[in-house]
């Protein structure tokens, strides 16, 4: 939805006319097209326009706020009263009980959409209109060429070609979205990506429409085996969507996805992914043991103790080099690494130094939560760790062993939403981590974007649980969470928020707000019985034990419990894929965390299982 200076004037003219139409003669053609593509006006007869239902809502809001904002005649020609980034700001605030942030308050106030740090009623009315309005999808040969040559993004907005008003037309159709708050970056949206991909292999013509709703509907008919008009079929063949009268080309198949996204504009919850350098090292260590040690000695499988021995040696070698290289200049290093290096140079017991500064158990839980490893059983019955197919792909990508943060990965995944684009900080971080190139996702970025959507298991560290508790139902801003903390504590909090988002518990919005996801809300309730000071309130092994018992037992609806007969515990252990020792430890932990009763999965445990189903939908 795009409303600029000339478009605003037209909306008010139409509002003043009531139910009468307005001739387009003498009106700004670009403004008329922007409003039409936005779904705010329609042509009941040629050369005459009228407001749509949603358009009337927008016009009424404009009429209501015009006395409180800069006079429309004084607006700069490129000023957008409504645009993708303004809708994103309103949406972010709506998800946080209508509160704005320091990032969004000024641009919203300027448009009459915020006052005293909260959204106004006109802002809520605009948001309602946005949800009601159905934008057009009309792409002619000229616009198709423009879309083909425009980078997919996310990337700097100045890389969008300047050709007439084309970039505003594709924004009006919700094919691209700009970043909050200044629009420095843009990205093709989920629908936009599908349109661009389709036009890169089809829609070839020198003039006329090459992709619109009527063309899409004809493609659907061909796919469903329905008869269509002969002229329409010939047109589809000419455009490259159909061959042999009844077979869709690659472009035709991709156009089906365009049609699905156009019709179903519902946003799914954001998915992300994160992995720390230490977790990468742990992953590689597991593979190294399988590849190098096991062939020579089948007894040396990657148990917890064997992995720890390898990592201790690795970290000692790493920090020995660091101390030798920097000497007295350790303060030039990042603070976290600096402190570990200082402790290393003073340490007498290097295994204790490792235990004090690195948490192998956390790394293993996190890797399993993201589906990169799985705890299992070796031929001797010992608990060992296996690298999954996704884990192998991460190892292949991680030759340089670097952190990948959620805010980098979601620079890509957020672009799949209806009107969101990443903010400036995310783009900069994504480029540093080589997830994003100059114009679009890198090969590495595409991997992590894919992994973000793969199945996850629940995991939250003790510290992450402390931060998670701060986030209320109504939401909160990052500024509020960081307030009053020193730099080191701020770093730890930001890292925790990043991991909580990657694991699916929260979402950090482009305007700086934090909200719980559906999974997060359900887990918040499921974990409410976990005692204070318990430690990690949920981990993948606890989940696997609870799931195995649930799958083996019987549901008692009135009691909201799943009961298992004691004699069937052996079957549950087998289903879990864990050793008896690992199962028993996790069983005790699950009972203490109140997910299990005696031989039963209680209400909290059932809710936790349902939450994980929601996470992986």
């Amino acid at each position: 939805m795009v409303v600029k200076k000339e478009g605003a004037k037209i909306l008010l003219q139409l509002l003043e006319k009531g139910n009468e139409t307005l001739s387009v003669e003498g009106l700004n053609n670009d403004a008329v097209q922007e409003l039409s593509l936005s779904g705010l006006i329609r042509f009941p007869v040629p050369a005459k326009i009228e407001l749509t239902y949603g358009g009337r809502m927008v016009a009424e809001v404009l009429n209501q706020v015009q006395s409180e904002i800069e006079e429309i005649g004084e607006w700069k020609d490129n000023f957008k009263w409504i645009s993708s980034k303004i809708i994103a700001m309103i949406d972010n605030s709506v998800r946080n009980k209508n509160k704005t942030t320091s990032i969004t308050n000024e641009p919203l106030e300027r448009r009459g959409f915020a006052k005293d740090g909260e959204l106004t009623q006109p802002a809520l009315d605009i948001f309602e209109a946005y949800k009601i309005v159905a934008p057009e999808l009309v792409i002619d040969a000229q616009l198709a060429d423009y879309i083909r040559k425009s980078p997919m993004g996310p990337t700097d907005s100045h890389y969008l070609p300047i050709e007439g008003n084309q970039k505003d037309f594709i924004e009006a159709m919700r094919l691209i979205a700009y970043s909050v708050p200044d629009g420095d970056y843009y990205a093709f949206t989920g629908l936009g990506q599908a349109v661009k991909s389709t036009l890169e292999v089809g829609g070839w013509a020198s003039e006329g429409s090459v992709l619109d709703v009527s063309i899409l509907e004809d493609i659907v008919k061909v796919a469903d085996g329905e008869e269509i008009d002969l002229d329409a079929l010939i047109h589809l063949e000419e455009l490259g969507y159909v061959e042999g009268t009844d077979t869709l080309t690659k472009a035709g198949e991709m156009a089906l996805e365009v049609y699905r996204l156009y019709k179903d504009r519902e946003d799914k919850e954001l998915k992300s992914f994160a992995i720390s350098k230490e977790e990468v090292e742990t992953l590689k260590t597991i593979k190294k043991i399988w590849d190098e040690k096991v062939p020579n000695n089948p007894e040396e499988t990657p148990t917890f103790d064997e992995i720890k021995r390898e990592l201790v040696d690795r970290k000692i070698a790493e920090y020995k080099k660091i101390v030798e290289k920097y000497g007295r200049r350790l303060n030039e290093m990042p603070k976290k690494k600096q402190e570990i290096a200082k402790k290393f140079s003073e340490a007498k017991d290097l295994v204790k130094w490792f235990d004090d500064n690195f948490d192998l158990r956390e790394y293993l839980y996190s890797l399993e939560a993201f589906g990169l490893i799985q705890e299992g059983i070796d031929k001797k019955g010992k608990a060992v760790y296996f690298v999954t197919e996704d884990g192998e792909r991460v190892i292949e990508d991680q030759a340089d062993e670097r952190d990948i943060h959620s805010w980098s990965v979601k620079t890509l995944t957020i672009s799949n939403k209806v009107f969101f684009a990443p903010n400036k900080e995310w783009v900069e971080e994504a480029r540093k981590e080589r997830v994003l190139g100059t114009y679009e996702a890198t090969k590495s970025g595409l991997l992590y974007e894919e992994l973000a959507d793969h199945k996850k298991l629940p995991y939250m560290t003790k510290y992450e649980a402390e931060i998670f508790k701060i986030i209320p139902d109504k939401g909160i801003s990052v500024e509020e969470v960081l307030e009053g903390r020193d730099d080191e504590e701020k770093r730890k909090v930001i890292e925790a928020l990043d991991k909580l988002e990657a694991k699916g518990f929260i979402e950090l919005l482009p305007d700086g707000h934090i909200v719980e996801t559906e999974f997060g809300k359900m887990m918040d309730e499921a974990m409410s019985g976990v005692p204070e000071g318990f430690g990690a309130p949920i981990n993948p092994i606890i989940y696997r034990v609870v799931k195995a018992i649930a799958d083996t037992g019987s549901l008692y609806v009135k009691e909201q419990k799943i009961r298992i007969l004691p004699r069937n515990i052996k079957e549950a252990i087998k289903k879990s894929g864990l050793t008896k020792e690992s199962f028993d430890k996790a069983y005790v932990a699950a009972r203490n965390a109140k997910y299990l009763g005696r031989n039963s999965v209680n209400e909290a445990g059932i809710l936790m299982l349902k939450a994980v189903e929601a996470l992986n939908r």
Side-chain angles (χ1 to χ4, degrees):
M1 188 186 289
V2 172
V3 178
K4 298 194 295 186
K5 180 178 178 177
E6 295 302 322
K9 291 177 182 177
I10 293 170
L11 288 176
L12 292 178
Q13 282 180 263
L14 283 166
L15 185 66
E16 194 175 322
K17 278 187 163 290
N19 294 322
E20 293 180 35
T21 58
L22 177 68
S23 171
V24 297
E25 188 177 346
L27 297 180
N28 182 290
N29 288 333
D30 283 347
V32 170
Q33 195 166 352
E34 285 164 10
L35 296 176
S36 176
L37 294 174
S38 294
L40 301 180
I41 62 170
R42 57 175 165 244
F43 290 82
V45 293
K48 298 274 189 178
I49 57 174
E50 65 182 10
L51 291 169
T52 61
Y53 179 75
R56 185 168 297 280
M57 290 175 68
V58 172
E60 287 172 349
V61 170
L62 178 58
N63 187 49
Q64 182 182 344
V65 302
Q66 66 173 325
S67 61
E68 302 169 15
I69 63 175
E70 183 183 19
E71 188 180 336
I72 294 172
E74 299 298 316
W75 292 1
K76 291 182 179 178
D77 290 340
N78 62 352
F79 172 74
K80 294 175 183 175
W81 180 61
I82 297 178
S83 64
S84 56
K85 69 178 185 180
I86 296 303
I87 295 297
M89 291 181 201
I90 295 173
D91 172 84
N92 289 180
S93 296
V94 165
R95 295 171 70 182
N96 282 273
K97 305 298 181 188
N98 301 335
K99 301 286 186 186
T100 62
T101 66
S102 59
I103 295 173
T104 61
N105 195 67
E106 189 278 326
L108 290 175
E109 269 195 357
R110 184 182 177 190
R111 291 162 172 80
F113 298 149
K115 190 173 183 180
D116 300 326
E118 292 193 8
L119 294 180
T120 59
Q121 187 58 46
L124 299 175
D125 292 341
I126 286 292
F127 193 54
E128 192 60 33
Y130 184 88
K131 291 187 287 185
I132 290 170
V133 165
E136 295 288 336
L137 183 62
V138 182
I139 299 169
D140 61 18
Q142 184 182 4
L143 188 55
D145 284 340
Y146 179 84
I147 290 170
R148 290 184 188 111
K149 70 177 72 168
S150 299
M152 185 74 84
T155 189
D156 308 70
S157 297
H158 63 75
Y159 288 125
L160 266 177
I162 305 297
E163 294 182 12
N165 214 34
Q166 305 284 41
K167 62 182 181 179
D168 290 340
F169 294 160
I170 59 176
E171 183 184 12
M173 289 187 281
R174 309 185 191 183
L175 303 185
I176 63 169
Y178 289 92
S179 62
V180 171
D182 299 319
D184 295 330
Y185 301 94
Y186 83 92
F188 275 84
T189 61
L191 174 61
Q193 290 174 45
V195 166
K196 180 171 168 61
S197 297
T198 300
L199 292 175
E200 284 170 351
V201 292
W204 307 111
S206 58
E207 61 181 9
S209 184
V210 300
L211 193 65
D212 58 32
V213 176
S214 63
I215 289 172
L216 290 171
E217 287 173 344
D218 284 339
I219 292 171
V220 170
K221 287 178 183 177
V222 173
D224 292 343
E226 298 179 21
E227 287 190 17
I228 67 168
D229 181 78
L230 182 59
D231 289 340
L233 184 59
I234 292 170
H235 187 46
L236 291 182
E237 289 179 334
E238 290 172 343
L239 291 172
Y241 296 125
V242 173
E243 59 186 1
T245 72
D246 62 355
T247 304
L248 294 184
T249 62
K250 182 179 179 181
E253 290 173 352
M254 295 172 84
L256 292 177
E257 178 66 3
V258 173
Y259 186 73
R260 183 189 71 79
L261 291 168
Y262 178 75
K263 287 294 185 182
D264 178 18
R265 293 193 298 273
E266 287 295 315
D267 262 342
K268 293 181 179 178
E269 286 197 327
L270 179 106
K271 298 290 182 76
S272 196
F273 178 92
I275 186 168
S276 69
K277 180 176 179 290
E278 286 75 22
E279 288 161 5
V280 172
E281 291 171 343
T282 304
L283 182 62
K284 285 187 169 184
T285 298
I286 296 169
K287 181 172 173 57
K288 179 185 174 185
I289 294 170
W290 281 117
D291 291 352
E292 297 179 15
K293 287 198 166 187
V294 173
N296 297 320
N297 184 357
E299 296 289 327
E300 288 191 273
T301 50
T303 61
F304 181 89
D305 290 338
E306 187 63 33
I307 297 166
K308 181 177 175 180
R309 272 192 290 273
E310 287 282 329
L311 279 177
V312 168
D313 290 344
R314 179 179 178 138
K315 283 298 179 186
I316 289 172
E318 178 188 341
Y319 277 86
K320 186 178 179 182
K321 282 183 182 178
I322 288 172
V323 171
E324 288 173 353
K325 179 180 178 181
Y326 285 90
R328 294 179 181 179
R329 296 181 294 110
L330 288 176
N331 57 0
E332 296 175 12
M333 302 172 62
K335 193 163 184 179
K336 180 183 177 183
K337 208 160 192 174
Q338 179 189 138
E339 289 178 356
I340 297 173
K342 284 179 180 177
K343 289 175 184 175
F344 173 81
S345 61
E346 297 165 0
K348 294 179 181 177
D349 183 341
L350 292 178
V351 174
K352 185 177 186 305
W353 164 81
F354 177 88
D355 289 337
D356 290 344
N357 293 282
F358 305 98
D359 195 324
L360 176 56
R361 187 67 68 185
E362 279 192 8
Y363 306 154
L364 293 168
Y365 283 152
S366 187
L367 290 169
E368 179 148 2
F370 287 107
L372 306 182
I373 64 168
Q374 184 174 40
E375 183 179 334
I377 309 170
D378 69 5
K379 292 177 182 177
K380 296 286 186 178
K382 292 183 292 184
V384 294
Y385 297 88
F386 297 93
V387 177
T388 65
E389 185 179 333
D390 282 347
E392 295 279 1
R393 295 170 72 195
V394 169
I395 289 170
E396 186 180 343
D397 174 75
Q398 285 278 352
D400 53 352
E401 297 179 2
R402 68 197 190 280
D403 292 330
I404 299 293
H405 288 94
S406 174
W407 53 71
S408 293
V409 177
K410 72 177 181 180
T411 297
L412 306 179
T413 60
I414 200 170
S415 304
N416 299 324
K417 286 176 164 278
V418 173
F419 55 78
F420 279 121
N423 70 22
K424 182 177 180 179
E425 288 75 17
W426 303 350
V427 171
E428 290 173 350
E429 194 66 31
R431 284 179 172 164
K432 282 181 193 173
E433 295 179 359
R434 298 189 297 288
V435 167
L436 183 65
T438 303
Y439 303 114
E440 56 192 20
T442 61
K443 181 182 176 183
S444 179
L446 292 174
L447 167 65
Y448 296 116
E449 181 181 15
E450 180 190 333
L451 295 182
D453 207 38
H454 285 192
K455 182 181 175 183
K456 295 183 179 77
L457 299 184
Y459 176 47
M460 185 184 289
T461 68
K462 182 180 179 181
Y463 184 73
E464 288 164 4
E466 291 171 11
I467 302 304
F468 187 61
K469 284 178 183 176
I470 297 171
I471 302 166
D473 290 341
K474 65 180 181 180
I476 194 170
S477 72
V478 175
E479 293 171 314
E480 291 173 286
V481 175
L482 297 180
E483 193 175 354
R485 300 176 188 265
D486 62 30
D487 289 345
E488 179 59 17
E489 187 63 17
K490 283 179 180 177
R491 181 194 63 76
K492 289 174 64 180
V493 170
I494 290 169
E495 289 285 344
L497 291 173
D498 187 75
K499 279 287 195 177
L500 285 169
E501 178 176 63
K503 294 169 186 174
F505 292 95
I506 62 171
E507 182 179 347
L508 276 73
L509 303 179
D511 72 344
H513 272 123
I514 308 167
V515 293
E516 285 186 354
T517 60
E518 179 190 1
F519 168 68
K521 289 174 182 175
M522 293 172 77
M523 285 302 298
D524 206 350
E525 185 178 345
M527 297 186 300
S528 61
V530 176
E532 286 289 329
F534 175 76
I538 184 67
N539 65 55
I541 308 306
I542 287 177
Y543 165 79
R544 286 170 63 181
V545 167
V546 175
K547 181 78 165 62
I549 292 172
D551 289 346
T552 308
S554 302
L555 175 64
Y556 287 70
V557 179
K558 286 185 178 179
E559 294 180 89
Q560 278 295 292
K561 285 185 179 180
I562 297 172
R563 295 190 179 279
I564 182 173
L565 295 173
R567 67 172 180 268
N568 291 334
I569 284 289
K570 282 186 180 179
E571 184 184 345
I573 294 173
K574 187 177 179 182
K575 280 188 177 181
S576 75
L578 300 165
T579 62
K580 185 176 185 305
E581 182 183 2
S582 291
F583 184 96
D584 288 345
K585 284 181 180 177
Y587 181 87
V588 171
R591 285 201 66 186
N592 291 337
K594 313 301 181 187
Y595 300 121
L596 296 177
R598 186 174 179 82
N599 300 321
S600 66
V601 180
N602 59 27
E603 195 169 347
I606 293 171
L607 181 57
M608 183 264 287
L609 297 177
K610 287 180 178 176
V612 177
E613 285 181 18
L615 172 67
N616 292 312
R617 271 205 292 265

